[in-house]
Amino acid sequence: MPPELPEGPAVNNSYCYGVRAGDTLHISGMVAFDSAGSIVGEGDVEAQLEQALTNLRHVVEAAGGTMANVVATTTYLVDVADAAKASAARARHFTGAVKPTHTVVGVAALARPAFLVEIEATAWLGPSTGSGT
């Protein structure tokens, strides 16, 4: 449990922010919670993207990795017109030579009405993250 993330949502909804299985880290959908469990950036998808990606980084780092270890992401957007904003936020957070795969899914709603974005990911914590094609 990274200290930068609120314990309540995971405990109350019976999940972990990240589960390591061998060298693979499966990361739950990250949303715009701050450490106190408040929603960051209500009505502002860019602020929510930044917080969700920052939260993702906290989970990866708590498992001993970095954002360079992330190999795949799925971004759920309430408004797919925000896909370009999601790509711009990803470019700020994934700066390594090999970028993770990215799938964008438009959804009618997320777990709370104030959430505009949720990002789940997979990270490889083994000896090499491979190369992009």
Side-chain angles (χ1 to χ4, degrees):
M1 180 70 64
E4 299 87 357
L5 294 168
E7 186 176 313
V11 171
N12 295 339
N13 295 292
S14 300
Y15 70 91
C16 292
Y17 286 116
V19 174
R20 186 170 181 162
D23 288 331
T24 303
L25 177 65
H26 301 273
I27 303 162
S28 291
M30 294 289 106
V31 292
F33 277 135
D34 65 14
S35 61
S38 298
I39 298 172
V40 172
E42 284 197 50
D44 182 347
V45 72
E46 291 175 307
Q48 289 196 17
L49 283 159
E50 286 300 316
Q51 187 66 43
L53 287 162
T54 297
N55 289 345
L56 190 151
R57 179 176 49 81
H58 291 313
V59 175
V60 173
E61 289 175 353
T66 69
M67 291 297 267
N69 294 105
V70 176
V71 296
T73 63
T74 302
T75 301
Y76 301 92
L77 292 169
V78 172
D79 185 350
V80 293
D82 291 327
K85 293 174 183 175
S87 291
R90 285 173 46 83
R92 289 188 294 276
H93 287 267
F94 297 111
T95 59
V98 178
K99 309 298 187 236
T101 63
H102 188 211
T103 300
V104 175
V105 180
V107 296
L110 293 166
R112 293 193 186 177
F115 290 142
L116 303 174
V117 62
E118 184 167 343
I119 304 169
E120 69 179 8
T122 304
W124 175 254
L125 302 175
S128 171
T129 57
S131 60
T133 58

